[in-house]
Amino acid sequence: MEEILVEEWKGFKGDDWKEEIDVSSFIDKNYTEYTGDDTFLVGPTAKTNAVWKRCEELLDQEMKNGGCLDVETNILSGITAYAPGYIDKDNEVIVGLQTDAPLKRIVNMYGGTKIALKALESHGYSLNPEILKSFTTYRKTHNDGVFDAYTPSIRRARSNGLLTGLPDGYGRGRIIGDYRRIALYGVDRLIEVKKKDLTGEYINEQFIEENIRLREEINEQIRALEAIKEMALSYGYDISKPAKNAREAIQWAYFGYLAGAKENNGAATSMGRDASFFDVYIERDLKNGEITENEAQEMIDQFVIKLRLIRHLRTPDYDELFAGDPTWVTESIAGMINESRSLVTKSSFRFLHTLINLKPSAEPNLTVLWAKGLPENFKKFCAKISILTDSIQYEGDDTMRPLYGHDYTIACCVSSMKEGKQMQFFGARCNLAKSLLYAINGGIDELSQKLVITGFDKIEDEILDYDKVRKAYSEMLKKIAKIYVDANNIIHFMHDKYAYEASQMALHDTNVERLMAFGVAGFSSAVDSLSAIKYAKVKPIRNENGVAVEFEVEGEFPKYGNDDNRVDEIAVELVKEFYEELASHSLYRNAKATLSLLTITSNVMYGQKTGSTPDGRKAGEAFAPGANPMHGRDSSGALASLNSVAKIPFENCCQDGVSNTFSIVPTALGNNEEEQVNNLVNIIDGYFAQGAQHLNVNVFNRELLIDAMNNPGKYPTLTIRVSGYAVNFNKLDRAHQEEVIARTFHEKR
Amino acid sequence: MLGKVTDIETMGLVDGPGMRLVIFLAGCKLRCLYCHNPETWDENGHKKLMSSEDILSLYKKYQNYYGETGGVTFSGGEPLIQRDFLIETIKLLKQNNIHVAIDTAGVAEGYEEILDLVDLVILDIKATSPDDYKFITGMEMNKFNEFLKLVQSKNKKLWLRQVIVPGINDKKEQVLKLKEFANQIKNVERIELLPYHTLGVSKYKDLGIEYRLPDVLDMDKEKCKELEKILKKA
């Protein structure tokens, strides 16, 4: 075979990745595993300090300005729409901003005008009327399309909070382009491949809708790739060719990500799995004496600064739901290549070290893919950084790798997908606790008193009978699953049609695999409610319409979170059943159904919108986050709680993620730093050894949090982990803060 | 045979090496002023009965977490009081290669076989003089002295502990005396000072027992650390 000679690839091993687009194979053949400790790490450079200092000033101004510094209201979102922007040009090693100034937000109208206008108004901005006119007079939006197709039952489920967070008015997000491809191959090569895909046999054979659409999309992708080149050129970089050194590799990949962030406003637009890819370039530069460790860390620090500044225009409702205006720029780190060799490199350390160099931060959402076989030194370093900053989330690589191979990445908090080969249709959440109340109340909403799901009788027994309730619940879930699927099919059809993410999809294989990610909220309340009905006596208190609005519970019942199979089996059965219902329907573009137990911080809001439940939870009280047991109900210790959650099946069921938040005070973790680190490593190892998927680790004490709630100014960087996401504690509203404090603390006896 | 258990901690991170299953056994003859587990005084005040097999299977349930460094710690109460149960259970655990520690004040009878079986003794040094010992525990010091002698003769690994209570034993001179006392003891792997806390006070109310240190505040954690530094300085 003829050798492919590309100057930029000098010194890189392997041939297959040269012939086909295959970043994973490139990494496998060229990365250098690092099993040493953290002593090689260095602090921030003067340049980084200068840039970050300016950012801190701007972030402070942003907070004082009500959470939004500025919005570009005269330009419509687009890859090449904005002039180049800088923070501190002379000191920036990695460049590129969403608009022409830091923290200035884009306006995207393709998803829908309503939410965009509401967000603008809430921050005191008005859109250039010419832009608005384009969308009210000439062009339809995703939101318009969705509401043309929505059925009355979807509208009812939506407005009563049964289905919440449907991405029908703004970008769907959770799509991760393989931004590394730009660095490794250069944009021209990627365009060439896309052009070749257009000549493929299948899509030229039959001009049915599927192929016509694909042809149109490939051309949109090609135009987006051209636009990325043009945007990069405006910053003075020609990215048509591969990156020739580490700084270019990071810069090229970042331009790819940035294009998506200039074009779309989807939630949870994550970055991917870059550390060990970048490390190949960094190692080559270090070996050639072109850079020092200081410069290597500087590149990573400055790249991370850029990710910390990503913003989107959100409404006050959104901020309330997700506690602040998070972007979930998730960066996946480490994991294994096979049973015995890890993907840990020095750059895995460098990424986590940004939490020290730049102080803790919720963004980017640093996610360690944890495996039993990770080098001990790396495990200890992670635990140390967790204890110091609370800003890392962990996901079970040994659980995911068998299903995705070793080049998958995480979108949002827990959604795994093969990088560049799979994409996700994000599908919001269904409130399972409310669904149970509907089963009891004949489809009538316990708060609005409106009939939401038709065709059901109320259960009128004085004491609820488990078999009867469970049967009605199954029928209810079946009907709700259908409505939920219908809504998602409509949303994603219209999203592809009116707000297609061309730049992100250009960095996927043309024949991409699609996942449709459903979700549930109120999980543990639903489970404990079923357990109460089964093992204790539950007497509904009904209002004048015969709708159960309160429940009297007599006797004891096992509660989820105590490693008690009597109730944990109810939990497992429930998710399996709901998943099977969802998966039994045809999904848009032959997507594969997945399900998540993830609420981020929206458990507080969903709880507010749900009446009293048979488990003893009162109307309006917060749900537990994600797959967590309800706080105060785990009487058997932290490990029992972890074990209960670890029973939730991942493969072919909750394959979009099982989110678990674990909080512990440092003194409970061990008597000195070394023990705290070792014990935390054991906890994480033990949890994932049981096939678990996700763990947020909060190491803090109750007093500190109460003080932070009362004196927010004292803790500007206090970061906590809430169900798959790190948030700045000060950005939480009081209800969220109290909920976090009330949640299980495992204190020393 | 069944053990009388007052409580279980599946994630014990501060009572012995690594992460451990901690079993709190009922019964104690001492009546320490600051005791935070008064529910364990009465040998029949247990919450549940457990067999040796129950404890082994509970350990196995969480074995993934305990890993190679963890094990089981028997605390209490005074675990040595349930001698026969303890012997049977430790034997079973040792057959399964599980590291076993006892968290004890050394006040019991006929515990020699237990000492032969365990890997680590976490010994609570209530006080270093007979007067102080009696003041804190309400008992004479001779049982403690006998225990210390036997445990030393068996060359068992020791962790020494003392609870530091404001106004009672938190003076520098007192800690220096403790240091002197501890220096005479061999096989000490670790010595730690535990700051007095008031988390146990509500238990007294529930049990209808008068709390004898109503006005004493929590020991300052930082000050306790400072004292520990003095203790550890060579």
Side-chain angles (χ1 to χ4, degrees):
Chain A
M1 195 177 294
E2 201 184 326
E3 204 186 338
I4 302 172
L5 285 172
V6 175
E7 180 59 25
E8 291 87 347
W9 292 343
K10 207 174 159 191
F12 292 155
K13 299 185 195 90
D15 289 313
D16 50 349
W17 58 267
K18 293 177 182 167
E19 285 144 28
E20 300 278 332
I21 301 295
D22 190 347
V23 178
S24 176
S25 166
F26 164 76
I27 297 170
D28 299 357
K29 294 186 170 64
N30 291 284
Y31 85 102
T32 311
E33 188 190 15
Y34 180 68
T35 57
D37 65 15
D38 60 351
T39 47
F40 76 92
L41 291 166
V42 295
T45 61
K47 282 183 178 181
T48 300
N49 280 335
V51 174
W52 184 237
K53 188 167 170 270
R54 178 68 192 133
C55 291
E56 285 185 316
E57 289 162 13
L58 292 165
L59 290 166
D60 189 50
Q61 281 174 30
E62 183 186 50
M63 197 186 255
K64 285 181 182 145
N65 207 29
C68 176
L69 189 65
D70 200 3
V71 184
E72 177 51 82
T73 55
N74 287 308
I75 297 173
L76 186 64
S77 59
I79 300 169
T80 55
Y82 307 94
Y86 298 92
I87 304 163
D88 173 355
K89 198 172 173 181
D90 292 342
N91 287 311
E92 283 177 78
V93 172
I94 302 295
V95 296
L97 297 173
Q98 281 172 288
T99 61
D100 64 349
L103 301 176
K104 192 188 211 180
R105 299 171 194 224
I106 66 162
V107 174
N108 176 312
M109 300 294 278
Y110 301 99
T113 54
K114 229 175 286 168
I115 288 188
L117 291 176
K118 199 171 157 190
L120 281 164
E121 194 196 344
S122 71
H123 292 297
Y125 293 91
S126 54
L127 187 62
N128 182 321
E130 285 303 310
I131 295 177
L132 183 59
K133 196 175 167 192
S134 310
F135 287 90
T136 51
T137 312
Y138 307 120
R139 197 192 188 279
K140 200 171 163 181
T141 67
H142 157 55
N143 179 252
D144 298 329
V146 166
F147 276 79
D148 277 350
Y150 266 175
T151 61
S153 52
I154 296 173
R155 288 167 187 252
R156 286 197 303 272
R158 191 180 175 275
S159 62
N160 283 278
L162 178 64
L163 302 179
T164 43
L166 293 166
D168 56 13
Y170 64 100
R172 58 189 161 192
R174 284 206 197 170
I175 298 176
I176 307 175
D178 187 353
Y179 305 112
R180 306 167 302 183
R181 290 181 185 185
I182 297 181
L184 184 56
Y185 297 104
V187 173
D188 284 354
R189 171 78 185 273
L190 301 178
I191 291 173
E192 189 189 304
V193 171
K194 287 290 174 187
K195 282 187 172 159
K196 195 172 158 235
D197 288 344
L198 263 181
T199 65
E201 215 174 287
Y202 180 69
I203 59 167
N204 285 295
E205 195 176 285
Q206 270 193 313
F207 280 73
I208 51 171
E209 187 184 343
E210 181 189 332
N211 291 338
I212 298 168
R213 181 206 294 262
L214 190 56
R215 294 186 62 82
E216 186 188 13
E217 286 177 352
I218 295 172
N219 275 305
E220 289 206 29
Q221 293 173 12
I222 292 169
R223 275 195 297 279
L225 289 168
E226 296 284 3
I228 299 175
K229 268 204 314 191
E230 191 187 323
M231 184 262 288
L233 262 183
S234 75
Y235 282 96
Y237 292 100
D238 175 8
I239 62 169
S240 59
K241 296 281 169 288
K244 61 179 182 294
N245 56 36
R247 192 174 61 81
E248 284 192 1
I250 296 171
Q251 181 68 66
W252 274 211
Y254 174 60
F255 278 136
Y257 178 84
L258 188 62
K262 284 169 174 280
E263 188 185 29
N264 314 290
N265 63 351
T269 297
S270 301
M271 182 65 212
R273 191 164 173 176
D274 306 290
S276 297
F277 172 76
F278 292 155
D279 197 74
V280 175
Y281 289 85
I282 291 175
E283 279 294 311
R284 188 177 67 172
D285 288 0
L286 284 168
K287 214 159 104 190
N288 294 339
E290 283 169 27
I291 58 168
T292 62
E293 180 56 35
N294 285 312
E295 286 163 307
Q297 184 66 47
E298 179 178 73
M299 291 171 202
I300 306 280
D301 284 343
Q302 294 225 4
F303 173 58
V304 162
I305 287 175
K306 287 293 183 296
L307 299 181
R308 287 186 181 191
L309 297 192
I310 297 292
R311 289 293 180 280
H312 285 295
L313 187 61
R314 303 293 187 213
T315 62
D317 295 351
Y318 184 98
D319 294 354
E320 188 196 347
L321 187 61
F322 296 117
D325 62 344
T327 44
W328 296 282
V329 184
T330 302
E331 175 67 47
S332 306
I333 294 165
M336 304 288 288
I337 196 164
N338 55 38
E339 287 292 305
S340 55
R341 192 162 163 239
S342 83
L343 277 158
V344 172
T345 59
K346 280 188 170 179
S347 292
S348 312
F349 282 78
R350 292 183 188 112
F351 267 85
L352 297 178
H353 192 52
T354 61
L355 293 167
I356 304 298
N357 282 355
L358 306 171
K359 294 184 206 146
S361 168
E363 302 282 359
N365 188 15
L366 296 177
T367 301
V368 169
L369 303 172
W370 187 277
K372 191 171 188 298
L374 288 182
E376 281 305 311
N377 278 318
F378 182 69
K379 286 183 179 179
K380 286 183 180 174
F381 180 65
C382 291
K384 180 173 135 186
I385 298 292
S386 265
I387 292 167
L388 288 173
T389 71
D390 289 318
S391 300
I392 306 175
Q393 64 168 353
Y394 298 92
E395 316 228 355
D397 184 59
D398 294 329
T399 304
M400 292 184 283
R401 194 178 64 250
L403 305 177
Y404 295 95
H406 65 269
D407 194 41
Y408 65 93
T409 185
I410 304 292
C412 188
C413 303
V414 291
S415 302
S416 40
M417 55 191 86
K418 295 176 188 167
E419 190 154 345
K421 298 182 181 303
Q422 289 180 322
M423 62 87 71
Q424 175 181 102
F425 293 139
F426 164 60
R429 277 153 210 110
C430 170
N431 185 334
L432 286 186
K434 196 179 259 294
S435 305
L436 177 61
L437 295 177
Y438 282 16
I440 295 167
N441 292 324
I444 297 173
D445 190 84
E446 72 289 352
L447 296 182
S448 72
Q449 302 295 316
K450 285 180 187 153
L451 180 65
V452 177
I453 306 289
T454 55
F456 286 83
D457 293 327
K458 293 189 193 92
I459 293 175
E460 289 172 333
D461 302 341
E462 200 195 328
I463 303 291
L464 293 174
D465 173 70
Y466 181 72
D467 292 336
K468 201 167 165 183
V469 171
R470 192 64 188 81
K471 190 162 168 275
Y473 192 32
S474 285
E475 284 162 15
M476 184 57 74
L477 290 175
K478 193 183 179 78
K479 191 136 185 191
I480 291 172
K482 167 77 168 63
I483 296 170
Y484 191 12
V485 166
D486 291 346
N488 272 304
N489 280 344
I490 291 170
I491 288 168
H492 292 287
F493 175 92
M494 295 298 174
H495 205 296
D496 277 349
K497 191 170 175 184
Y498 295 106
Y500 182 69
E501 301 89 341
S503 69
Q504 291 169 339
M505 295 312 298
L507 298 166
H508 282 78
D509 292 357
T510 295
N511 288 314
V512 66
E513 259 182 81
R514 297 178 175 86
L515 308 169
M516 190 175 280
F518 298 92
V520 296
F523 174 67
S524 53
S525 279
V527 170
D528 282 354
S529 292
L530 289 169
S531 176
I533 297 167
K534 187 170 184 180
Y535 296 102
K537 276 187 179 169
V538 175
K539 187 181 160 191
I541 311 294
R542 301 183 172 94
N543 67 7
E544 63 282 5
N545 303 322
V547 171
V549 288
E550 284 298 333
F551 297 91
E552 275 175 14
V553 185
E554 200 182 298
E556 292 292 310
F557 59 95
K559 297 170 185 95
Y560 172 64
N562 293 291
D563 200 6
D564 183 335
N565 277 332
R566 289 176 299 163
V567 54
D568 294 351
E569 277 166 9
I570 294 178
V572 171
E573 182 190 73
L574 178 58
V575 287
K576 278 190 175 166
E577 178 183 336
F578 194 56
Y579 174 73
E580 276 159 24
E581 284 301 338
L582 293 164
S584 73
H585 297 283
S586 301
L587 301 180
Y588 172 63
R589 294 188 100 167
N590 295 319
K592 177 183 158 40
T594 61
L595 181 64
S596 69
L597 268 64
L598 167 77
T599 57
I600 310 176
T601 50
S602 58
N603 56 303
V604 175
M605 257 277 285
Y606 295 145
Q608 278 169 8
K609 292 186 175 168
T610 306
S612 298
T613 39
D615 57 336
R617 185 196 135 273
K618 293 292 166 202
E621 277 179 26
F623 290 141
N628 270 73
M630 279 294 276
H631 59 76
R633 290 189 191 161
D634 51 336
S635 57
S636 313
L639 297 188
S641 169
L642 292 177
N643 271 16
S644 279
V645 180
K647 288 175 199 169
I648 305 298
F650 178 72
E651 186 175 358
N652 290 323
C653 184
C654 300
Q655 214 170 307
D656 194 46
V658 180
S659 170
N660 190 7
T661 300
F662 174 83
S663 309
I664 189 161
V665 299
T667 48
L669 203 47
N671 288 323
N672 57 50
E673 196 194 300
E674 192 194 341
E675 279 178 21
Q676 290 174 2
V677 164
N678 291 338
N679 285 335
L680 187 54
V681 168
N682 278 343
I683 293 170
I684 303 172
D685 263 341
Y687 183 59
F688 288 124
Q690 320 198 48
Q693 194 242 349
H694 168 263
L695 192 68
N696 274 315
V697 176
N698 286 321
V699 185
F700 51 83
N701 63 63
R702 191 193 297 264
E703 293 76 24
L704 183 110
L705 277 190
I706 291 171
D707 193 41
M709 183 165 69
N710 295 325
N711 306 293
K714 276 168 72 180
Y715 303 90
T717 58
L718 178 61
T719 302
I720 57 154
R721 299 219 55 97
V722 181
S723 196
Y725 183 64
V727 294
N728 186 308
F729 188 75
N730 297 333
K731 286 188 181 169
L732 296 172
D733 65 22
R734 185 91 189 181
H736 278 111
Q737 291 180 337
E738 284 174 357
E739 195 265 341
V740 165
I741 291 169
R743 208 190 303 137
T744 319
F745 269 91
H746 299 287
E747 292 197 66
K748 179 161 91 171
R749 171 184 307 266
Chain B
M1 146 154 235
L2 295 173
K4 297 167 180 173
V5 175
T6 61
D7 216 340
I8 292 164
E9 172 57 65
T10 53
M11 197 179 74
L13 299 171
V14 287
D15 296 301
M19 198 189 316
R20 312 179 71 82
L21 174 65
V22 185
I23 306 288
F24 294 84
L25 294 173
C28 184
K29 294 195 174 66
L30 301 177
R31 292 293 175 266
C32 304
L33 290 173
Y34 49 73
C35 178
H36 63 179
N37 290 334
E39 76 281 9
T40 62
W41 289 350
D42 179 356
E43 205 183 327
N44 294 309
H46 55 276
K47 268 202 236 137
K48 63 165 143 189
L49 295 169
M50 290 180 85
S51 67
S52 304
E53 286 76 20
D54 290 339
I55 289 173
L56 178 64
S57 65
L58 191 61
Y59 179 87
K60 286 192 168 164
K61 209 167 167 177
Y62 301 108
Q63 203 161 21
N64 281 329
Y65 299 89
Y66 302 140
E68 282 157 25
T69 54
V72 178
T73 296
F74 292 95
S75 183
E78 173 50 68
L80 298 177
I81 287 179
Q82 292 190 44
R83 183 186 64 189
D84 296 343
F85 169 73
L86 208 52
I87 290 170
E88 185 186 306
T89 307
I90 298 173
K91 276 184 182 163
L92 182 67
L93 294 173
K94 290 314 300 175
Q95 279 164 20
N96 286 273
N97 290 317
I98 296 167
H99 182 279
V100 178
I102 49 165
D103 181 2
T104 176
V107 180
E109 312 285 340
Y111 42 70
E112 185 165 358
E113 193 178 350
I114 298 175
L115 290 187
D116 289 332
L117 291 167
V118 296
D119 300 291
L120 172 71
V121 174
I122 303 171
L123 180 60
D124 190 353
I125 310 229
K126 303 288 181 183
T128 52
S129 75
D131 286 349
D132 290 348
Y133 192 90
K134 185 152 191 188
F135 173 70
I136 288 170
T137 68
M139 297 251 310
E140 300 299 334
M141 205 175 173
N142 55 329
K143 294 272 182 204
F144 169 81
N145 290 333
E146 281 168 28
F147 180 87
L148 184 59
K149 205 171 152 194
L150 189 64
V151 86
Q152 290 279 281
S153 74
K154 293 194 177 289
N155 280 322
K156 280 286 154 182
K157 284 180 187 163
L158 281 169
W159 283 19
L160 303 182
R161 282 177 166 182
Q162 183 165 84
V163 177
I164 298 298
V165 188
I168 293 183
N169 59 359
D170 64 336
K171 299 226 164 38
K172 194 180 162 187
E173 308 84 78
Q174 290 167 306
V175 173
L176 286 171
K177 268 196 183 155
L178 175 65
K179 188 175 174 176
E180 204 178 299
F181 185 87
N183 280 343
Q184 323 261 325
I185 303 172
K186 57 179 182 172
N187 304 324
V188 177
E189 279 196 338
R190 175 186 293 213
I191 179 159
E192 51 192 17
L193 300 182
L194 310 178
Y196 166 78
H197 63 79
T198 49
L199 294 172
V201 177
S202 63
K203 292 182 179 176
Y204 283 81
K205 276 186 198 135
D206 296 342
L207 293 162
I209 306 172
E210 190 199 350
Y211 194 64
R212 291 168 291 167
L213 301 175
D215 303 322
V216 179
L217 300 175
D218 282 17
M219 178 68 198
D220 185 275
K221 284 176 187 145
E222 290 309 309
K223 198 180 162 201
C224 198
K225 264 187 204 157
E226 288 305 310
L227 293 174
E228 204 170 76
K229 274 185 201 156
I230 297 171
L231 185 69
K232 285 179 179 169
K233 209 159 72 184

